[in-house]
Amino acid sequence: MKKLGWSLLIFVFPIITLCTCSSGNGASNDEVDRKVDSLISLMTLDEKIGQLTLYANDLNPTGPQKTTFCENEISNGRVGGVFNVLGTDNVYRLQKQAVTNTRLRIPLLFGFDVIHGFRTIFPIPFAEACTWDPELIKKSATLAAKEATAWGLNWTFNPMVDIARDPRWGRVSEGSGEDIFLASLIAKAKVQGYQGDDLSAPYTMAACVKHFAAYGAPIGGRDYNTVDISERTLSEVYLPPYKAAVDAGVLSVMSSFNELDGMPCTANKKLLSQLLKDEWGFKGFVVSDWTSVKELTAHGIAKDEAHAAELALKAGLDMDMQSGIFSENLKKLVSNNLVDEQQIDNAVKRILRVKYLLGLFDNPYLYIDKKRQEEITASQEIMDLALLEAKKSIVLLKNENYSNSKLLPLKKNLRKIALIGPLASNRINLLGSWHGHADTSIVKTILESLSEKLPNTKIEYTQGASFTGTDKSGFNKAIQTVQKSEIVICVIGENNALSGEAASRSNIDIPGVQLDLLKELIKTGKPIVTIVMAGRPLILDWLEENLPAIIFTGQLGTRSGDAISAVLTGEYNPSGKLAMSFPRNVGQVPIFYNHKNTGRPFDAKDRYTSKYIDVSNEPLYPFGYGLSYTTFNYSDLVLDKQTISSTDTLKITFTLKNTGNFDGEETCQLYIRDMVASVTRPVKELKAFKKVYLKKGEQVIISFTLTANDLKFFNEDMIYQYEPGEFAVFVGGNSRDLIEEKFELL
Ligand code: NOJ
């Protein structure tokens, strides 16, 4: 067939100058649809199938198996997008093949897992969520997009919004924790951050919300395992963050590896077509996860690869990541009348729409700009925001008196500090999993940052133990170092490989012999500040019982060293609040604050109530928990009405006072409980929060509002509605320590 030139494409896709609404590049949705339809009418079936095919660059795999992908596939028009391509030269080379060698010159999408930054790394999403600051998170996504797009990328596989209630699951590091409300706000913030207001701008990129759906609930916390939850739990707990991302205009959705109610999500028509596309009105495209189309055979619902392709496409999956199965089978399936070409057209349309909105048809090289890359990469703006976010992610778990004053912040006149632990002088493991194409040369260690901030203090460092293994040969040197010092700072936890994809752990203790090291160091009698870095909640019960000061940081990225030193020295007063409950032992898992009451709620005096006989029901640190160097007092909770109608707004006010000796920031949290409803309701549900900065001694009156809409839930018939009756309102600084009032909805 004769090649159509780029100029013809420009004719097919004239540059839009008149805009009637907001599709990113100024074109109205109707115009975009019209242009995409007209391009599809020119396409052969092979060309269409090509658009549905996505391959990873084999040099940079993020999954188990290589593919048959070779660059010729692009020139042959058999590829719609490529991911994991690093470097603008490589992006340019591949894009050029697509737009010069193929008949219709359709540009490629370039995807990448920009999860918490690209070259400059922000805190892992789980740590970011501990900021409880969606605006800040939005900015970090904006800047991550700015940096990644300057490297030629136009599509990120983020945000991951899977609610996680089981810290054994390694991917809790990639999400926003256990709460529905917080995770939904963050989902929206991230989509808006990546996609911005103008999708066709060179510094914004398409987002991809994942993993649809309920990937965060694998049985036993084991990655890729079966998910078996009720329709109610799915609707109430797991779906809202994806919905928030769709409402925010996310351009793509990734189907998850798991099954739901016996149907793998990649072939789940109820989920992909009926719910996502029909009910929620999602206009973007659905991409599979890495080879998850092929995996339909292992799930046991497809007899072979052709069958897998048929099931996935018919269910509403638009793009096949890495299996090559659409490419190999769809044509045959159409000629055998097993797949309708219209279904392929529908999928192509969704993908071309996104390419159009990204501005790729106007300029396929839009995202390739070396000058911009040099200016933007690790720019001051990005480095500063990475530092701010890292500081705000830090959660102070314990800070007790030592010789009559709190151990933290560190005293100004310290002469000798012993800095111990595998993470104290490490760069790469401060970054966490999915650290993009991080530039490790710009990462400062804790040792380096602390030495800069405390030039008159001698800081002696020794590793003491490594992350894993049983080697205790470093213990003696660590003990000697500690004996010579006034105070000890131990930086322990997980390395990058211990969390993230395919990194579930059955035991979520501090790994290796790091805890044994602490047990030896405590014998010296020196005060120990412990900094725990990890991609998930760990079991910290021994630390809580025995050590005076504990900080949890998650993994904070490029600016870890500076952020942690700022908190240690008191230059920054920590304000992070946990986005997940921390269990006392692994047997309590799954553990989450918004559980149901049961028919036999906990009663210490009654054996026949719902409890363990060997451990409390309560987590060690509850959801929403985090201390400050100052203290806050909540009082005078007042509701402006005792009863409200469905059209009223209830105003809730309380006084917050900074009662300590430092200026500081508090995250005030509001929870509700529906006391009696037609179906059981959680004992608490987060409905609002506010971050408030108060000078020491200062007090303010804070107010929240609630309406009947905030009281909705799915009734027995799965209708989302509110019911009259009594509600409790709780206010406080975490999900456990709360003051309470009641009101009635008429
Ligand atoms: C598999 C992961 O589950 C997914 O989150 C990621 O985006 C893809 N691999 C691509 O790297």
Side-chain angles (χ1 to χ4, degrees):
M1 206 178 290
K2 193 173 163 292
K3 288 201 169 204
L4 300 176
W6 179 246
S7 54
L8 177 52
L9 250 162
I10 299 287
F11 170 70
V12 177
F13 286 90
I15 296 167
I16 308 299
T17 46
L18 281 177
C19 42
T20 49
C21 89
S22 54
S23 290
N25 61 356
S28 74
N29 280 322
D30 286 351
E31 277 174 288
V32 176
D33 286 349
R34 201 166 37 77
K35 284 163 199 311
V36 167
D37 286 341
S38 106
L39 178 57
I40 292 175
S41 70
L42 301 174
M43 293 171 81
T44 64
L45 181 56
D46 284 327
E47 285 164 342
K48 291 174 188 171
I49 295 168
Q51 288 305 306
L52 311 191
T53 300
L54 172 71
Y55 288 119
N57 178 356
D58 280 349
L59 296 176
N60 189 25
T62 48
Q65 89 195 54
K66 293 198 173 194
T67 53
T68 49
F69 170 60
C70 64
E71 288 184 26
N72 283 348
E73 298 281 283
I74 296 177
S75 297
N76 295 338
R78 288 167 61 86
V79 181
V82 188
F83 66 110
N84 293 352
V85 178
L86 288 177
T88 44
D89 290 342
N90 289 326
V91 174
Y92 179 80
R93 185 168 46 78
L94 300 184
Q95 191 67 296
K96 193 163 172 226
Q97 288 176 25
V99 300
T100 55
N101 298 351
T102 65
R103 190 179 71 96
L104 289 173
R105 307 184 166 203
I106 299 175
L108 296 169
L109 287 171
F110 285 89
F112 200 90
D113 287 285
V114 182
I115 307 296
H116 51 116
F118 184 67
R119 291 290 277 173
T120 315
I121 304 303
F122 292 91
I124 54 168
F126 172 51
E128 270 186 316
C130 295
T131 66
W132 289 53
D133 195 337
E135 260 316 299
L136 181 68
I137 292 171
K138 179 177 168 182
K139 279 188 203 143
S140 78
T142 302
L143 293 188
K146 209 168 173 184
E147 203 178 61
T149 51
W151 287 68
L153 306 171
N154 49 40
W155 181 27
T156 174
F157 303 135
N158 201 248
M160 177 190 113
V161 303
D162 304 316
I163 294 288
R165 293 173 154 186
D166 188 336
R168 291 172 298 181
W169 188 48
R171 302 196 79 170
V172 304
S173 58
E174 291 173 56
S176 303
E178 75 188 41
D179 183 61
I180 305 153
F181 180 76
L182 180 61
S184 300
L185 289 180
I186 294 176
K188 176 178 169 190
K190 286 201 168 189
V191 170
Q192 291 176 338
Y194 290 125
Q195 296 191 172
D197 298 328
D198 179 5
L199 267 168
S200 64
Y203 46 81
T204 54
M205 65 202 312
C208 179
V209 69
K210 67 188 189 187
H211 307 82
F212 195 58
Y215 179 48
I219 295 174
R222 206 181 71 214
D223 209 1
Y224 316 126
N225 201 8
T226 304
V227 170
D228 193 3
I229 54 178
S230 68
E231 189 190 352
R232 173 170 308 282
T233 302
L234 176 67
S235 303
E236 282 183 356
V237 178
Y238 289 91
L239 291 181
Y242 310 108
K243 174 73 163 53
V246 170
D247 289 346
V250 74
L251 286 174
S252 60
V253 170
M254 188 182 292
S255 69
S256 54
F257 288 121
N258 56 284
E259 69 168 70
L260 263 183
D261 197 18
M263 183 52 69
C265 294
T266 295
N268 198 318
K269 192 170 190 168
K270 260 202 228 162
L271 205 60
L272 305 185
S273 290
Q274 292 166 9
L275 181 73
L276 178 67
K277 293 180 177 174
D278 299 345
E279 209 177 295
W280 291 359
F282 171 64
K283 291 273 181 296
F285 66 90
V286 184
V287 60
S288 78
D289 202 344
W290 181 286
T291 60
S292 67
V293 179
K294 189 185 177 82
E295 290 163 24
L296 296 177
T297 55
H299 275 289
I301 64 154
K303 59 177 185 296
D304 54 26
E305 294 191 347
H307 191 202
E310 178 189 340
L311 292 176
L313 188 88
K314 283 180 169 169
L317 188 92
D318 303 307
M319 189 182 251
D320 170 15
M321 180 195 288
Q322 199 66 1
S323 289
I325 282 186
F326 276 7
S327 176
E328 291 304 314
N329 297 284
L330 284 184
K331 196 169 182 191
K332 222 178 323 144
L333 289 167
V334 171
S335 57
N336 292 343
N337 289 326
L338 287 166
V339 160
D340 186 350
E341 189 166 347
Q342 185 57 48
Q343 183 101 43
I344 293 178
D345 287 0
N346 294 345
V348 175
K349 181 167 179 175
R350 286 172 176 272
I351 293 161
L352 292 182
R353 260 188 108 251
V354 172
K355 293 186 175 184
Y356 184 81
L357 296 174
L358 282 167
L360 290 172
F361 281 109
D362 290 339
N363 177 6
Y365 304 111
L366 180 69
Y367 297 88
I368 304 168
D369 184 342
K370 282 203 169 165
K371 186 159 170 281
R372 205 166 69 83
Q373 182 178 312
E374 265 162 39
E375 282 164 15
I376 282 169
T377 306
S379 65
Q380 198 59 49
E381 185 191 21
I382 300 183
M383 290 290 274
D384 287 351
L385 197 84
L387 175 59
L388 179 66
E389 199 179 55
K391 288 193 289 197
K392 289 200 158 211
S393 301
I394 295 174
V395 184
L396 179 64
L397 296 176
K398 186 174 179 190
N399 189 22
E400 289 215 324
N401 278 347
Y402 189 85
S403 323
N404 298 328
S405 67
K406 301 271 185 209
L407 196 51
L408 288 173
L410 297 174
K411 305 281 160 302
K412 299 272 176 258
N413 54 359
L414 287 172
R415 278 167 291 116
K416 238 179 185 179
I417 295 179
L419 185 62
I420 314 286
L423 285 155
S425 182
N426 192 301
R427 270 174 242 284
I428 184 86
N429 287 299
L430 305 182
L431 304 180
S433 73
W434 294 112
H435 51 257
H437 181 37
D439 180 355
T440 43
S441 73
I442 56 173
V443 180
K444 229 188 274 166
T445 67
I446 297 168
L447 174 60
E448 287 163 352
S449 301
L450 203 58
S451 307
E452 268 175 27
K453 287 198 199 292
L454 301 174
N456 301 321
T457 308
K458 183 155 191 288
I459 300 174
E460 205 172 321
Y461 161 72
T462 180
Q463 180 172 310
S466 57
F467 299 104
T468 52
T470 52
D471 182 9
K472 296 187 178 178
S473 59
F475 280 26
N476 276 344
K477 188 165 175 219
I479 295 166
Q480 283 159 20
T481 309
V482 164
Q483 276 161 344
K484 288 183 278 168
S485 68
E486 285 156 88
I487 190 168
V488 188
I489 299 172
C490 256
V491 196
I492 56 171
E494 293 183 326
N495 62 10
N496 294 342
L498 287 169
S499 68
E501 187 178 352
S504 292
R505 296 177 59 199
S506 65
N507 167 354
I508 50 170
D509 288 345
I510 295 165
V513 290
Q514 297 178 82
L515 190 58
D516 297 334
L517 174 64
L518 274 179
K519 287 180 180 171
E520 290 305 319
L521 299 186
I522 200 174
K523 290 183 191 158
T524 63
K526 302 284 176 170
I528 302 177
V529 174
T530 309
I531 298 166
V532 181
M533 271 183 208
R536 56 157 65 78
L538 294 179
I539 303 301
L540 304 179
D541 59 331
W542 186 89
L543 274 67
E544 172 63 28
E545 268 165 42
N546 296 286
L547 299 177
I550 309 167
I551 292 173
F552 181 76
T553 67
Q555 289 146 326
L556 296 174
T558 304
R559 303 302 307 270
S560 298
D562 291 333
I564 291 170
S565 325
V567 164
L568 289 173
T569 56
E571 185 189 306
Y572 186 81
N573 183 358
S575 60
K577 300 277 189 177
L578 295 177
M580 267 183 100
S581 310
F582 274 45
R584 291 170 192 274
N585 68 27
V586 78
Q588 286 185 313
V589 167
I591 186 165
F592 43 94
Y593 82 94
N594 46 359
H595 57 82
K596 301 290 182 71
N597 201 37
T598 82
R600 293 188 176 193
F602 175 81
D603 178 349
K605 289 187 236 88
D606 186 348
R607 181 182 174 97
Y608 294 98
T609 57
S610 180
K611 61 175 179 250
Y612 299 104
I613 54 173
D614 56 354
V615 68
S616 145
N617 280 10
E618 295 304 313
L620 183 65
Y621 303 115
F623 171 77
Y625 176 83
L627 303 173
S628 160
Y629 291 151
T630 192
T631 45
F632 294 99
N633 184 56
Y634 289 75
S635 64
D636 306 322
L637 176 59
V638 178
L639 312 187
D640 73 335
K641 301 175 194 74
Q642 295 322 293
T643 54
I644 61 165
S645 73
S646 59
T647 52
D648 279 341
T649 297
L650 178 71
K651 188 167 175 201
I652 299 138
T653 54
F654 61 93
T655 303
L656 179 74
K657 180 163 188 190
N658 180 340
T659 46
N661 294 322
F662 293 80
D663 303 344
E665 190 174 42
E666 169 70 329
T667 304
C668 305
Q669 302 160 37
L670 181 139
Y671 299 84
I672 62 147
R673 177 171 177 184
D674 192 338
M675 303 307 293
V676 180
S678 57
V679 293
T680 61
R681 303 300 305 142
V683 293
K684 273 165 211 158
E685 294 175 81
L686 182 70
K687 288 290 168 181
F689 60 86
K690 253 182 204 167
K691 293 184 83 72
V692 185
Y693 189 88
L694 291 185
K695 297 231 166 272
K696 61 181 172 192
E698 195 182 351
Q699 73 174 40
V700 281
I701 294 178
I702 314 250
S703 65
F704 287 111
T705 55
L706 284 178
T707 68
N709 268 337
D710 300 308
L711 312 176
K712 283 185 171 169
F713 61 92
F714 289 95
N715 71 6
E716 208 181 347
D717 302 320
M718 291 307 286
I719 296 170
Y720 194 60
Q721 46 110 70
Y722 45 76
E723 283 175 4
E726 191 183 33
F727 290 82
V729 181
F730 311 88
V731 163
N734 65 66
S735 61
R736 180 191 60 200
D737 306 312
L738 299 157
I739 50 177
E740 176 182 350
E741 271 296 336
K742 293 245 166 73
F743 71 93
E744 196 181 337
L745 174 68
L746 295 173

